[in-house]
Amino acid sequence: MGMARGLFLSFVLGGLVTLAGCDSSELSEDEKAKIASLSIDALGPLPPSPGNRFADHPRAAAFGQLLFFEEGLSGEGNVSCATCHMPDLQFQDGLPRGVAVGESDRRTMPLAGTGWNVWQFWDGRRDSLWSQALTPLEDQREHAGNRTAFAHYIAATYPDGYAEVFGALPELDGLPANASPLGNEAERAAWAAMGEDERDAVNRVFANLGKAIGAFERTLQPPETRFDRFARAVAAGEVAKGDAAFSDVEQEGLRLFIGKANCLECHNGPRFTDDHFHNTGVPPVAGLPDDLGRAKGIADVLADPFNCLGPYSDAAPEACEALRFMQRDAAVMERAYKTPSLRGAASRPPYMHAGQIDTLDGVIDHYSTAPEAVSGESEIRGVVFTDRGRRALIAFLKTLDVEPGSEPISGPPSDP
């Protein structure tokens, strides 16, 4: 959770307001407006994906769903996107750091609602779902594959599925079996030896794989939760009933969340995230490479050939506002990480960008003690919770849990 710069709060049990049998008449207009702003009903239509003209193409999404579960898109044929983004675990893996071919340096992020994201990854080093999907494919700790191998695999396995969405594959005969600008020494040498037109053709196939996977991921919308049913009753001026009814402690936690705890400073809107980056003094993990967060992500997204302004984007430059006008001062963004959505967070520990904190109680402890950042400047200054306040806030967060069976899909399409 994120807190405003310089925040120092003290929660006194006597100051908590109980909302037993709460209806809209017991809430201030400000409280009702804040609750409505967090409801899934306030989630507008998917924003456009300007770099991907196939973003809302149903056949592209179906092809992308197939590719999402395709282990052939890896160096050893044993890793897929679903290896770490498991449908029955909110499209994440429950581990402190993702494990595929090897272990990565960061926590796997859930995918529901990522179609609304402005930036991808904890450090925002990619500016679209489709460019994000490409990155793990060549990461040696994740899929550990390479571009020409992927192009050859698609040509051998899914030529018709690819052609139905993107048109015929380019001529690949004579190209190296394994070549990539990001591969091992032999793969980099093979890539350099290819002609410019050959590299461009492979890059376009590679980009299209990302565009298909991105189209599929845009279909993964956040499911409705107990909180949303409660918020709907409040909006209608009714008493929440059945599983939508909140206990006293859940209602207290909600009022803390939208009020004195100031959680809305970062966790706002129907996805409970501001889509920005914050340094909150989270300590690094011993033994991992130094991680500067968004400070490095700024350079990485600008250098990405698959960004919105790159040659493989379908966007006109004026459509790439996020990239063109983003904060570029790395010093301001040192050790700042993306605000995660709190939907489903209560049931997907551990927490923070590298799984540094095991429990929600531990997260509250972190915001209570507000440790100094090892570098950069932390935005938090200390929050004091009573025991009742802790229990109330955690109880509210559990009303945002994803309910069993609400996952939008469970596997590849039945009719690819």
Side-chain angles (χ1 to χ4, degrees), residues 229-250:
R229 292 190 283 277
F230 176 86
R232 192 171 295 133
V234 169
E238 300 172 351
V239 175
K241 298 178 180 178
D243 77 336
F246 274 20
S247 68
D248 289 351
V249 73
E250 288 169 342

PDB file of all heavy atoms in Angstrom, residues 229-250:
ATOM      1  N   ARG A 229     -20.166  -5.652  -4.508  1.00  0.00           N
ATOM      2  CA  ARG A 229     -21.588  -5.825  -4.226  1.00  0.00           C
ATOM      3  C   ARG A 229     -22.032  -4.887  -3.097  1.00  0.00           C
ATOM      4  O   ARG A 229     -23.136  -4.344  -3.123  1.00  0.00           O
ATOM      5  CB  ARG A 229     -21.882  -7.294  -3.901  1.00  0.00           C
ATOM      6  CG  ARG A 229     -21.704  -8.207  -5.131  1.00  0.00           C
ATOM      7  CD  ARG A 229     -22.216  -9.607  -4.895  1.00  0.00           C
ATOM      8  NE  ARG A 229     -21.314 -10.415  -4.094  1.00  0.00           N
ATOM      9  CZ  ARG A 229     -20.250 -11.073  -4.569  1.00  0.00           C
ATOM     10  NH1 ARG A 229     -19.935 -10.972  -5.856  1.00  0.00           N
ATOM     11  NH2 ARG A 229     -19.496 -11.817  -3.788  1.00  0.00           N
ATOM     12  N   PHE A 230     -21.144  -4.703  -2.113  1.00  0.00           N
ATOM     13  CA  PHE A 230     -21.431  -3.742  -1.051  1.00  0.00           C
ATOM     14  C   PHE A 230     -21.528  -2.329  -1.629  1.00  0.00           C
ATOM     15  O   PHE A 230     -22.460  -1.572  -1.331  1.00  0.00           O
ATOM     16  CB  PHE A 230     -20.323  -3.809   0.004  1.00  0.00           C
ATOM     17  CG  PHE A 230     -20.458  -2.789   1.096  1.00  0.00           C
ATOM     18  CD1 PHE A 230     -21.240  -3.043   2.211  1.00  0.00           C
ATOM     19  CD2 PHE A 230     -19.790  -1.574   1.022  1.00  0.00           C
ATOM     20  CE1 PHE A 230     -21.358  -2.098   3.231  1.00  0.00           C
ATOM     21  CE2 PHE A 230     -19.907  -0.625   2.026  1.00  0.00           C
ATOM     22  CZ  PHE A 230     -20.705  -0.889   3.138  1.00  0.00           C
ATOM     23  N   ALA A 231     -20.566  -1.970  -2.486  1.00  0.00           N
ATOM     24  CA  ALA A 231     -20.550  -0.627  -3.080  1.00  0.00           C
ATOM     25  C   ALA A 231     -21.792  -0.394  -3.936  1.00  0.00           C
ATOM     26  O   ALA A 231     -22.334   0.723  -3.965  1.00  0.00           O
ATOM     27  CB  ALA A 231     -19.286  -0.458  -3.930  1.00  0.00           C
ATOM     28  N   ARG A 232     -22.249  -1.432  -4.602  1.00  0.00           N
ATOM     29  CA  ARG A 232     -23.445  -1.292  -5.449  1.00  0.00           C
ATOM     30  C   ARG A 232     -24.670  -1.001  -4.579  1.00  0.00           C
ATOM     31  O   ARG A 232     -25.532  -0.189  -4.947  1.00  0.00           O
ATOM     32  CB  ARG A 232     -23.640  -2.569  -6.263  1.00  0.00           C
ATOM     33  CG  ARG A 232     -24.659  -2.453  -7.386  1.00  0.00           C
ATOM     34  CD  ARG A 232     -24.610  -3.683  -8.269  1.00  0.00           C
ATOM     35  NE  ARG A 232     -23.326  -3.776  -8.952  1.00  0.00           N
ATOM     36  CZ  ARG A 232     -22.593  -4.889  -9.015  1.00  0.00           C
ATOM     37  NH1 ARG A 232     -23.008  -5.996  -8.426  1.00  0.00           N
ATOM     38  NH2 ARG A 232     -21.451  -4.888  -9.653  1.00  0.00           N
ATOM     39  N   ALA A 233     -24.748  -1.656  -3.424  1.00  0.00           N
ATOM     40  CA  ALA A 233     -25.868  -1.397  -2.507  1.00  0.00           C
ATOM     41  C   ALA A 233     -25.800   0.038  -1.975  1.00  0.00           C
ATOM     42  O   ALA A 233     -26.821   0.741  -1.901  1.00  0.00           O
ATOM     43  CB  ALA A 233     -25.852  -2.397  -1.355  1.00  0.00           C
ATOM     44  N   VAL A 234     -24.616   0.489  -1.632  1.00  0.00           N
ATOM     45  CA  VAL A 234     -24.451   1.863  -1.152  1.00  0.00           C
ATOM     46  C   VAL A 234     -24.887   2.851  -2.226  1.00  0.00           C
ATOM     47  O   VAL A 234     -25.593   3.832  -1.958  1.00  0.00           O
ATOM     48  CB  VAL A 234     -22.985   2.116  -0.742  1.00  0.00           C
ATOM     49  CG1 VAL A 234     -22.737   3.606  -0.500  1.00  0.00           C
ATOM     50  CG2 VAL A 234     -22.643   1.319   0.513  1.00  0.00           C
ATOM     51  N   ALA A 235     -24.469   2.594  -3.468  1.00  0.00           N
ATOM     52  CA  ALA A 235     -24.832   3.492  -4.568  1.00  0.00           C
ATOM     53  C   ALA A 235     -26.341   3.562  -4.770  1.00  0.00           C
ATOM     54  O   ALA A 235     -26.879   4.600  -5.157  1.00  0.00           O
ATOM     55  CB  ALA A 235     -24.156   3.039  -5.855  1.00  0.00           C
ATOM     56  N   ALA A 236     -27.017   2.443  -4.487  1.00  0.00           N
ATOM     57  CA  ALA A 236     -28.467   2.393  -4.661  1.00  0.00           C
ATOM     58  C   ALA A 236     -29.214   2.900  -3.429  1.00  0.00           C
ATOM     59  O   ALA A 236     -30.460   2.926  -3.425  1.00  0.00           O
ATOM     60  CB  ALA A 236     -28.905   0.961  -4.976  1.00  0.00           C
ATOM     61  N   GLY A 237     -28.485   3.280  -2.371  1.00  0.00           N
ATOM     62  CA  GLY A 237     -29.135   3.750  -1.150  1.00  0.00           C
ATOM     63  C   GLY A 237     -29.799   2.636  -0.376  1.00  0.00           C
ATOM     64  O   GLY A 237     -30.756   2.876   0.366  1.00  0.00           O
ATOM     65  N   GLU A 238     -29.272   1.417  -0.511  1.00  0.00           N
ATOM     66  CA  GLU A 238     -29.883   0.255   0.124  1.00  0.00           C
ATOM     67  C   GLU A 238     -28.957  -0.304   1.201  1.00  0.00           C
ATOM     68  O   GLU A 238     -27.757  -0.027   1.226  1.00  0.00           O
ATOM     69  CB  GLU A 238     -30.153  -0.834  -0.929  1.00  0.00           C
ATOM     70  CG  GLU A 238     -31.091  -0.383  -2.044  1.00  0.00           C
ATOM     71  CD  GLU A 238     -31.182  -1.413  -3.156  1.00  0.00           C
ATOM     72  OE1 GLU A 238     -30.380  -2.377  -3.132  1.00  0.00           O
ATOM     73  OE2 GLU A 238     -32.030  -1.233  -4.051  1.00  0.00           O
ATOM     74  N   VAL A 239     -29.535  -1.127   2.088  1.00  0.00           N
ATOM     75  CA  VAL A 239     -28.752  -1.877   3.054  1.00  0.00           C
ATOM     76  C   VAL A 239     -28.188  -3.103   2.350  1.00  0.00           C
ATOM     77  O   VAL A 239     -28.932  -3.870   1.730  1.00  0.00           O
ATOM     78  CB  VAL A 239     -29.611  -2.300   4.256  1.00  0.00           C
ATOM     79  CG1 VAL A 239     -28.808  -3.184   5.203  1.00  0.00           C
ATOM     80  CG2 VAL A 239     -30.143  -1.076   4.986  1.00  0.00           C
ATOM     81  N   ALA A 240     -26.864  -3.277   2.409  1.00  0.00           N
ATOM     82  CA  ALA A 240     -26.237  -4.445   1.780  1.00  0.00           C
ATOM     83  C   ALA A 240     -26.699  -5.711   2.486  1.00  0.00           C
ATOM     84  O   ALA A 240     -26.710  -5.782   3.716  1.00  0.00           O
ATOM     85  CB  ALA A 240     -24.728  -4.324   1.855  1.00  0.00           C
ATOM     86  N   LYS A 241     -27.079  -6.718   1.699  1.00  0.00           N
ATOM     87  CA  LYS A 241     -27.606  -7.960   2.259  1.00  0.00           C
ATOM     88  C   LYS A 241     -26.811  -9.154   1.748  1.00  0.00           C
ATOM     89  O   LYS A 241     -26.080  -9.057   0.767  1.00  0.00           O
ATOM     90  CB  LYS A 241     -29.083  -8.113   1.884  1.00  0.00           C
ATOM     91  CG  LYS A 241     -29.976  -6.997   2.441  1.00  0.00           C
ATOM     92  CD  LYS A 241     -31.414  -7.183   1.992  1.00  0.00           C
ATOM     93  CE  LYS A 241     -32.312  -6.063   2.544  1.00  0.00           C
ATOM     94  NZ  LYS A 241     -33.709  -6.210   2.079  1.00  0.00           N
ATOM     95  N   GLY A 242     -27.010 -10.306   2.418  1.00  0.00           N
ATOM     96  CA  GLY A 242     -26.329 -11.524   1.998  1.00  0.00           C
ATOM     97  C   GLY A 242     -24.824 -11.376   2.113  1.00  0.00           C
ATOM     98  O   GLY A 242     -24.315 -10.755   3.057  1.00  0.00           O
ATOM     99  N   ASP A 243     -24.095 -11.929   1.144  1.00  0.00           N
ATOM    100  CA  ASP A 243     -22.639 -11.862   1.239  1.00  0.00           C
ATOM    101  C   ASP A 243     -22.122 -10.458   0.967  1.00  0.00           C
ATOM    102  O   ASP A 243     -20.946 -10.157   1.200  1.00  0.00           O
ATOM    103  CB  ASP A 243     -21.974 -12.873   0.311  1.00  0.00           C
ATOM    104  CG  ASP A 243     -21.968 -12.445  -1.154  1.00  0.00           C
ATOM    105  OD1 ASP A 243     -22.833 -11.639  -1.556  1.00  0.00           O
ATOM    106  OD2 ASP A 243     -21.106 -12.930  -1.899  1.00  0.00           O
ATOM    107  N   ALA A 244     -22.990  -9.561   0.492  1.00  0.00           N
ATOM    108  CA  ALA A 244     -22.581  -8.169   0.273  1.00  0.00           C
ATOM    109  C   ALA A 244     -22.526  -7.377   1.576  1.00  0.00           C
ATOM    110  O   ALA A 244     -21.911  -6.313   1.626  1.00  0.00           O
ATOM    111  CB  ALA A 244     -23.536  -7.490  -0.698  1.00  0.00           C
ATOM    112  N   ALA A 245     -23.188  -7.891   2.615  1.00  0.00           N
ATOM    113  CA  ALA A 245     -23.203  -7.186   3.892  1.00  0.00           C
ATOM    114  C   ALA A 245     -21.825  -7.266   4.540  1.00  0.00           C
ATOM    115  O   ALA A 245     -21.211  -8.326   4.593  1.00  0.00           O
ATOM    116  CB  ALA A 245     -24.255  -7.794   4.812  1.00  0.00           C
ATOM    117  N   PHE A 246     -21.333  -6.143   5.029  1.00  0.00           N
ATOM    118  CA  PHE A 246     -20.047  -6.088   5.699  1.00  0.00           C
ATOM    119  C   PHE A 246     -20.225  -6.236   7.202  1.00  0.00           C
ATOM    120  O   PHE A 246     -21.184  -5.705   7.783  1.00  0.00           O
ATOM    121  CB  PHE A 246     -19.352  -4.745   5.424  1.00  0.00           C
ATOM    122  CG  PHE A 246     -18.546  -4.708   4.154  1.00  0.00           C
ATOM    123  CD1 PHE A 246     -18.745  -5.607   3.127  1.00  0.00           C
ATOM    124  CD2 PHE A 246     -17.565  -3.729   3.995  1.00  0.00           C
ATOM    125  CE1 PHE A 246     -17.998  -5.556   1.965  1.00  0.00           C
ATOM    126  CE2 PHE A 246     -16.805  -3.663   2.835  1.00  0.00           C
ATOM    127  CZ  PHE A 246     -17.022  -4.575   1.817  1.00  0.00           C
ATOM    128  N   SER A 247     -19.296  -6.934   7.836  1.00  0.00           N
ATOM    129  CA  SER A 247     -19.268  -6.969   9.292  1.00  0.00           C
ATOM    130  C   SER A 247     -18.826  -5.601   9.810  1.00  0.00           C
ATOM    131  O   SER A 247     -18.323  -4.753   9.056  1.00  0.00           O
ATOM    132  CB  SER A 247     -18.281  -8.037   9.768  1.00  0.00           C
ATOM    133  OG  SER A 247     -16.955  -7.649   9.442  1.00  0.00           O
ATOM    134  N   ASP A 248     -18.992  -5.404  11.125  1.00  0.00           N
ATOM    135  CA  ASP A 248     -18.568  -4.128  11.708  1.00  0.00           C
ATOM    136  C   ASP A 248     -17.095  -3.854  11.432  1.00  0.00           C
ATOM    137  O   ASP A 248     -16.706  -2.731  11.088  1.00  0.00           O
ATOM    138  CB  ASP A 248     -18.813  -4.127  13.215  1.00  0.00           C
ATOM    139  CG  ASP A 248     -20.289  -4.058  13.574  1.00  0.00           C
ATOM    140  OD1 ASP A 248     -21.114  -3.846  12.653  1.00  0.00           O
ATOM    141  OD2 ASP A 248     -20.615  -4.227  14.762  1.00  0.00           O
ATOM    142  N   VAL A 249     -16.261  -4.886  11.597  1.00  0.00           N
ATOM    143  CA  VAL A 249     -14.824  -4.664  11.443  1.00  0.00           C
ATOM    144  C   VAL A 249     -14.463  -4.418   9.977  1.00  0.00           C
ATOM    145  O   VAL A 249     -13.579  -3.606   9.666  1.00  0.00           O
ATOM    146  CB  VAL A 249     -14.016  -5.847  12.048  1.00  0.00           C
ATOM    147  CG1 VAL A 249     -14.108  -7.102  11.188  1.00  0.00           C
ATOM    148  CG2 VAL A 249     -12.549  -5.437  12.252  1.00  0.00           C
ATOM    149  N   GLU A 250     -15.149  -5.064   9.047  1.00  0.00           N
ATOM    150  CA  GLU A 250     -14.910  -4.788   7.621  1.00  0.00           C
ATOM    151  C   GLU A 250     -15.300  -3.354   7.271  1.00  0.00           C
ATOM    152  O   GLU A 250     -14.603  -2.672   6.507  1.00  0.00           O
ATOM    153  CB  GLU A 250     -15.696  -5.778   6.761  1.00  0.00           C
ATOM    154  CG  GLU A 250     -15.146  -7.192   6.786  1.00  0.00           C
ATOM    155  CD  GLU A 250     -16.080  -8.210   6.148  1.00  0.00           C
ATOM    156  OE1 GLU A 250     -17.289  -7.903   5.995  1.00  0.00           O
ATOM    157  OE2 GLU A 250     -15.615  -9.314   5.809  1.00  0.00           O
TER     158      GLU A 250
END
